[in-house]
Amino acid sequence: MSTNTDGKFGDYGGQYVPEALMPAIEELEDAYERYVLENEDGFMDEFRRRLRDFGGRPTPLQRADRLSERYDREVYLKREDLVHGGAHKLNNALGQVLLAKYMGKERIVAETGAGQHGTATAMAAAHLDIPCEIYMGKRDINRQRPNVFRMRINGAEVNPVTVGRGTLKEAISETMRDWATTVETTHYVIGSVVGPHPFPSMVRDFQSVISKEARKQSREQFGGLPDSVLACAGGGSNTMGAFANFVDDEGVDLYAVEAGGSSLDVDEEKGVAPNSASLSTGGDGILHGARTKLLQDRDGQIMESHSVSSGLDYAGVGPELAYLVDERRVIPVNVDDDAALEAFHRLSQEEGIIPALETAHAFAYLHEEYENLGETVVVNVSGRGDKDLESVIEETSKRNIPNAPDMSMFQGGL
Amino acid sequence: MSRVPEAFEDGPAFIPYLAVGDPDYESSLEYVEALERGGADLIELGLPFSEPIAEGPTIQSAVVRSLEGGMTPTRFFEFVEELDVDVPLVCMTYYNLIYQYGDEPGPRPFVEKAAEVGIDGFVVPDLPAEEAGPLREACDEFDRDLVFIVAPTTRGERLERIMDQVSGYVYVQARLGVTGAQEDVSDQTGQSLDRLAQWDVPKAVGFGIKTGEHAANIVAGGADGIIVGSALVDIVAEGHENGDSAAEVADRLETKARELKDGALRGVEQRVPHPERQ
């Protein structure tokens, strides 16, 4: 893993935040070093115990029999969809909420895009008995109603964010504003490997349990390491989690699969990029506390991103991933909305696993490029797709997805 | 040479802020000029960024209006060139816009262009002292000031690191949180001013000031200047919503500016000798 005591990954990362947040960031840096890196007061022991008992870890590394047959190579699935709550997100949320308790904080705030991080944080906060408020873009609230209700059931407040287009980037900005007002009592549980140091490193460390297990399971199950690891990438938390323990294994190719959306072109006039492929197409810039790769116009204004998967719909990406891409250690690739939807249906039909639309991007890339991925491939199943069913019905109905079930029963009824 | 020190030469400085281009280019020119007529000693000109993480709802909305009206860094510089005011001007914006401007990466081209059109200094809310090296160098090269914000939570080594790099004035954030007009002006201000007393640089207090009385209290408490944004942006927003003419809105801004400036002047008379600040 890259070492980064100053919070930099090459030129990326850093701490570009308002002064009012700096003391909280410094306090968090100190807590990260003591509790996470040095296991003070047995923090990491308690974290691992709760991940096991509450979170259901370890998750299996499962051979995908029909995909292996279809692509004529060994395909293994790291089943993060089986983590409590249905996604890898709990690994980080549980770690940070527990850390907030160790730091003596009295309140949790978090942002959420698709709602996966919001539900994970709400669950962790209920589990650890600490009040929790989630900021979520108004548009995302409408796209992800079941997740919003899950947060409410767990006792979290959900604050709609109406500024801008009302998606993840506005929710992150709004949560930072809350935190700037309440730093003394509140911890901000950021949902991905983004934001100012120490968040990118800390979230990676909490998520790196994915690759720690997968690496060990690979050895046990097929006596070696995979030739490639595939993970979808939005902000990049499941990506870094799936890659972290393989970064030093030079024989393992690491593919970050981004949302190509409807097109990789950008509309400078409207400030819209109809994709979320910041690693593949973005430029160097500063957003939400870190220097990283971004979708921006030539002036540096942040673009509105797009993906059929709201969980990938973000104009930035974790600074460590940006660095690993520049170092040619991680290969950034992308697939479009249609390919992701097709992969969603394929995995559901052939393996009996309904994946999150985010996750489906990784499987779409597998489908397109399997010949170049070596003999043994591990795909990170970052989450399950129940939350996406409404979007999938809607998006499938308006396209020609050859392997989708007959959608005619829904016509006129949506 | 930066003209920022002139603002503090004759008593307390009244420093208004407006987002440039809110709600459109032409009206915005009139508004800024009205602030000078109302007694502004220095004007902070906001260059809108799409993700203004340090701003409350009032200024966020101003940013949206301005961006929708087509404001860009290039237009901003044209605006400053066209502006007919004699007071020092400070550009307030976010680091990505400074970083991306021009043909070479880094802040130098932005600072060079800003200096050319008559900007005297910069405030960059998302650029802490730790990351400010390149911008500080560019400011030194072109003789511009770099203003830093000091929060109520800024103490000890952090405070020293900031005060090593600051020039022009230090922006004392009156309370935690984001920008926005408030009913009460926090007593955190007095404590912040005490902590800053040992440094010989003007201290201007902002965040939450919206009346002449606030201004008087802040100056009486030892501030060398007051910074007012949201209370003025509110006037622009209201005029825009009601469809009032730019001239009417400009008059209201001038009146409000005069109230704030008069308040600041009154504050000087209300000052009580403070042994620690002598």
Side-chain angles (χ1 to χ4, degrees):
Chain A
M1 248 176 274
S2 356
T3 49
N4 52 307
T5 45
D6 61 348
K8 293 284 172 71
F9 306 95
D11 288 334
Y12 297 113
Q15 299 177 315
Y16 295 86
V17 293
E19 179 53 31
L21 284 180
M22 283 306 291
I25 298 270
E26 288 184 335
E27 186 188 348
L28 186 61
E29 260 183 273
D30 174 65
Y32 167 59
E33 278 163 26
R34 288 193 291 125
Y35 297 121
V36 181
L37 299 182
E38 291 161 25
N39 192 27
E40 190 174 305
D41 300 339
F43 171 83
M44 286 303 286
D45 303 323
E46 182 175 352
F47 172 53
R48 290 193 193 99
R49 179 174 63 74
R50 288 185 187 274
L51 267 185
R52 185 191 65 206
D53 298 344
F54 179 67
R57 299 208 73 94
T59 60
L61 182 70
Q62 180 214 333
R63 183 176 185 275
D65 294 339
R66 291 190 61 196
L67 291 187
S68 296
E69 192 183 334
R70 176 191 265 275
Y71 301 129
D72 190 26
R73 64 210 58 230
E74 294 296 296
V75 177
Y76 284 85
L77 311 178
K78 182 57 178 164
R79 296 290 308 276
E80 291 301 294
D81 59 313
L82 295 178
V83 175
H84 178 46
H88 70 289
K89 290 287 183 188
L90 184 72
N91 302 330
N92 168 47
L94 188 62
Q96 285 200 55
V97 174
L98 187 63
L99 188 67
K101 298 275 277 193
Y102 274 64
M103 291 169 73
K105 299 290 178 187
E106 297 158 11
R107 174 176 172 265
I108 294 295
V109 290
E111 88 294 341
T112 197
Q116 290 301 87
H117 175 58
T119 54
T121 305
M123 287 186 321
H127 174 63
L128 293 165
D129 189 24
I130 183 166
C132 172
E133 285 182 44
I134 309 287
Y135 288 88
M136 186 168 186
K138 191 81 184 71
R139 180 185 152 105
D140 283 336
I141 287 180
N142 293 329
R143 286 202 281 192
Q144 300 287 342
R145 284 179 295 179
N147 269 344
V148 176
F149 198 55
R150 283 170 70 189
M151 292 176 229
R152 301 284 297 122
I153 292 171
N154 281 136
E157 294 294 330
V158 178
N159 303 323
V161 179
T162 51
V163 184
R165 208 175 54 126
T167 61
L168 179 59
K169 83 179 161 68
E170 288 84 18
I172 293 179
S173 295
E174 197 56 32
T175 317
M176 285 192 168
R177 292 184 190 107
D178 179 309
W179 200 31
T181 317
T182 58
V183 288
E184 281 158 344
T185 57
T186 299
H187 176 64
Y188 174 14
V189 179
I190 208 164
S192 192
V193 286
V194 300
H197 176 69
F199 282 117
S201 300
M202 183 173 74
V203 176
R204 173 205 63 209
D205 289 353
F206 288 141
Q207 290 292 1
S208 66
V209 65
I210 301 172
S211 50
K212 191 177 173 198
E213 288 175 9
R215 198 171 183 281
K216 181 162 169 277
Q217 290 162 327
S218 296
R219 287 240 153 94
E220 288 164 4
Q221 291 177 36
F222 50 84
L225 297 178
D227 295 309
S228 29
V229 177
L230 272 58
C232 63
S237 72
N238 95 89
T239 335
M240 276 317 302
F243 292 173
N245 286 277
F246 291 113
V247 166
D248 291 337
D249 299 319
E250 283 175 18
V252 182
D253 292 338
L254 306 172
Y255 290 88
V257 186
E258 297 192 287
S262 55
S263 163
L264 289 183
D265 296 336
V266 297
D267 184 340
E268 284 252 352
E269 195 84 335
K270 289 192 188 135
V272 174
N275 62 73
S276 304
S278 34
L279 286 173
S280 310
T281 69
D284 173 18
I286 292 111
L287 174 66
H288 290 143
R291 186 165 159 189
T292 185
K293 288 182 188 285
L294 300 177
L295 302 178
Q296 57 190 334
D297 69 13
R298 71 175 76 81
D299 290 330
Q301 304 289 5
I302 308 308
M303 296 271 207
E304 296 294 352
S305 54
H306 161 80
S307 167
V308 68
S309 156
S310 51
L312 297 182
D313 196 346
Y314 181 55
V317 66
E320 187 170 13
L321 274 170
Y323 169 74
L324 291 171
V325 164
D326 281 2
E327 293 290 298
R328 301 178 180 278
R329 181 63 193 94
V330 166
I331 305 158
V333 296
N334 59 81
V335 298
D336 66 19
D337 287 345
D338 287 10
L341 280 163
E342 210 177 304
F344 172 93
H345 292 295
R346 190 180 308 111
L347 194 72
S348 303
Q349 287 162 20
E350 299 189 8
E351 294 292 342
I353 296 168
I354 299 177
L357 276 175
E358 293 86 333
T359 311
H361 285 72
F363 286 96
Y365 188 74
L366 172 69
H367 186 72
E368 289 176 6
E369 295 290 333
Y370 62 90
E371 285 175 340
N372 303 317
L373 298 176
E375 288 303 304
T376 313
V377 182
V378 169
V379 185
N380 192 36
V381 186
S382 56
R384 70 178 185 217
D386 309 46
K387 65 173 176 77
D388 290 323
L389 293 182
E390 274 195 68
S391 311
V392 170
I393 292 169
E394 190 187 323
E395 298 289 341
T396 303
S397 304
K398 63 186 190 201
R399 298 155 205 259
N400 180 23
I401 306 293
N403 63 344
D406 180 10
M407 305 300 284
S408 58
M409 72 179 79
F410 294 115
Q411 273 167 18
L414 278 173
Chain B
M1 227 17 222
S2 162
R3 299 170 295 165
V4 169
E6 295 169 15
F8 298 90
E9 274 168 6
D10 306 314
F14 163 51
I15 305 175
Y17 162 97
L18 280 180
V20 165
D22 172 24
D24 60 71
Y25 186 97
E26 294 299 330
S27 312
S28 189
L29 277 173
E30 286 191 46
Y31 298 166
V32 174
E33 288 164 9
L35 295 176
E36 188 194 36
R37 288 196 299 277
D41 298 292
L42 181 157
I43 300 173
E44 286 186 358
L45 298 173
L47 165 58
F49 177 52
S50 56
E51 313 303 314
I53 56 175
E55 315 298 350
T58 305
I59 293 179
Q60 279 179 60
S61 304
V63 164
V64 169
R65 286 190 298 270
S66 168
L67 289 174
E68 283 174 354
M71 186 46 60
T72 64
T74 305
R75 290 285 281 159
F76 176 85
F77 290 135
E78 287 166 12
F79 180 96
V80 179
E81 274 189 313
E82 197 176 337
L83 198 58
D84 185 18
V85 298
D86 288 328
V87 294
L89 300 171
V90 165
C91 168
M92 183 163 194
T93 194
Y94 287 75
Y95 195 51
N96 201 42
L97 297 188
I98 295 178
Y99 184 77
Q100 303 297 345
Y101 186 83
D103 293 331
E104 52 179 298
R108 192 178 176 278
F110 187 94
V111 175
E112 183 176 21
K113 178 71 186 174
E116 186 192 312
V117 299
I119 291 286
D120 298 282
F122 307 89
V123 191
V124 190
D126 66 340
L127 187 69
E130 286 76 1
E131 312 287 354
L135 181 58
R136 181 69 263 179
E137 269 175 42
C139 285
D140 290 343
E141 183 183 345
F142 296 100
D143 263 326
R144 303 295 112 175
D145 281 312
L146 183 54
V147 174
F148 281 88
I149 298 172
V150 167
T153 43
T154 310
R155 324 227 154 126
E157 274 179 38
R158 280 207 54 71
L159 185 57
E160 284 175 27
R161 222 175 299 152
I162 291 171
M163 298 310 286
D164 278 350
Q165 298 206 51
V166 78
S167 69
Y169 56 98
V170 55
Y171 187 139
V172 182
Q173 187 179 327
R175 54 171 169 76
L176 282 176
V178 292
T179 55
Q182 298 283 311
E183 289 305 323
D184 299 319
V185 176
S186 161
D187 62 10
Q188 290 172 322
T189 312
Q191 294 163 18
S192 294
L193 289 172
D194 284 345
R195 272 196 296 278
L196 291 165
Q198 57 174 297
W199 281 281
D200 185 25
V201 58
K203 289 107 195 157
V205 174
F207 275 45
I209 300 171
K210 65 173 194 179
T211 65
E213 201 183 331
H214 289 159
N217 290 342
I218 294 280
V219 170
D224 302 305
I226 53 153
I227 304 170
V228 182
S230 296
L232 299 167
V233 172
D234 272 336
I235 293 173
V236 174
E238 218 179 279
H240 180 62
E241 276 159 32
N242 298 338
D244 300 335
S245 73
E248 286 174 274
V249 176
D251 280 348
R252 276 174 228 150
L253 284 169
E254 186 182 334
T255 307
K256 189 70 187 176
R258 189 159 294 119
E259 173 196 333
L260 291 157
K261 171 73 181 179
D262 289 347
L265 291 172
R266 256 195 338 272
V268 180
E269 292 153 24
Q270 296 165 14
R271 272 182 189 159
V272 282
H274 191 302
E276 286 169 35
R277 289 198 204 110
Q278 291 309 303

